[in-house]
Amino acid sequence: MRVWRIVLVVVVILGGLFVAADRIAVSVAQNKAAERAQATEGLDHKPSVSIKGFPFLTQAASGKLDDVTVKAKDIAANGGGETLRIATFNADLHGVKFSDSYRTAVADSADGAAFITYADLSKAAPPGVSVSSAGTSADGKAMVKLTGTIPGIGVKISVLSQVTVRGADSIGLHAENLPKELTALGLEDDVRQEIDFVRQLTHLPSGISLTSLTTSPEGISVAAGGKHVVLAG
């Protein structure tokens, strides 16, 4: 009986040491991956990287991690008014292969979402024009409201615009209907050149593409996904 007690104590101690070593190793790996992701994407702030699953060491030994979560915030616009600041970006990466001491990380697939505030969308809009919440149209379109004075024309407007995904990394606004007093004067093309615009989301991981979006009173949530997604490289 005494021998078995000793064996049990040894097993418990070794198990505790393994768990401690595993948690230290995963913490180091997460920090290295976050630093490399920040450098790869040129982020102002280091993102949060969380490696899921236990134990980490056995996953690391295989050279591939099941799931990794990345969270970033305050992703600055790159290119002035033609790009958008991203308030938050969260992504779940699946089947992540690490190499070169976690300097390189590539996921088999990933899905996530970027959130853009109306304040940041207004900053990227034409001067004098602000963007606010407008809910969803009767046929399910994501809508926003544009108000202000049109640059170069000096006409005040208040219109509803549909906001959609445009390509892999951009969103666009298109006014549904312009005021009749503007169209009657033949100004529709001039007005649309100002208030219909496309803006890019920068600093997203390579391989990620925007897929859809929804609006809320606080801002716009843009879903994204892709395969062979590069977290660090």
Side-chain angles (χ1 to χ4, degrees):
M1 182 65 69
R2 183 179 179 184
V3 172
W4 283 111
R5 286 178 181 175
I6 294 173
V7 171
L8 179 61
V9 170
V10 171
V11 169
V12 171
I13 292 174
L14 291 177
L17 291 174
F18 175 78
V19 171
D22 190 83
R23 293 302 88 191
I24 292 172
V26 76
S27 179
V28 171
Q30 289 172 164
N31 186 60
K32 286 186 176 180
E35 290 178 347
R36 187 56 183 167
Q38 180 182 11
T40 298
E41 300 303 332
L43 303 176
D44 292 335
H45 309 285
K46 185 168 72 172
S48 169
V49 175
S50 178
I51 298 173
K52 305 298 183 181
F54 178 84
F56 162 73
L57 290 173
T58 56
Q59 293 187 73
S62 71
K64 194 171 188 178
L65 306 178
D66 294 335
D67 296 289
V68 177
T69 298
V70 179
K71 297 181 179 181
K73 61 181 180 179
D74 191 21
I75 302 176
N78 180 24
E82 297 302 315
T83 60
L84 280 169
R85 172 185 173 272
I86 301 172
T88 61
F89 176 74
N90 301 324
D92 294 319
L93 293 84
H94 314 289
V96 182
K97 296 178 182 177
F98 279 101
S99 59
D100 192 18
S101 298
Y102 301 98
R103 290 178 59 85
T104 301
V106 181
D108 290 340
S109 63
D111 53 82
F115 184 75
I116 302 163
T117 67
Y118 292 118
D120 286 319
L121 191 55
S122 295
K123 290 178 182 178
V129 175
S130 63
V131 184
S132 59
S133 174
T136 304
S137 66
D139 55 354
K141 298 177 182 177
M143 306 297 293
V144 293
K145 184 178 181 180
L146 271 65
T147 55
T149 302
I150 302 174
I153 301 177
V155 176
K156 291 185 177 181
I157 61 163
S158 178
V159 298
L160 295 180
S161 291
Q162 182 184 4
V163 55
T164 57
V165 168
R166 303 284 185 89
D169 62 357
S170 301
I171 65 172
L173 275 66
H174 178 79
E176 288 282 275
N177 295 294
L178 296 181
K180 292 181 179 179
E181 56 268 26
L182 294 178
T183 57
L185 294 173
L187 296 175
E188 180 169 356
D189 290 342
D190 294 331
V191 172
R192 285 197 177 280
Q193 286 181 7
E194 296 291 343
I195 65 172
D196 289 352
F197 60 90
V198 176
R199 296 293 183 262
Q200 183 186 27
L201 280 64
T202 59
H203 301 300
L204 296 177
S206 175
I208 281 280
S209 297
L210 307 181
T211 56
S212 62
L213 59 77
T214 56
T215 56
S216 70
E218 294 76 27
I220 299 171
S221 182
V222 190
K227 298 184 181 301
H228 195 70
V229 176
V230 179
L231 171 62

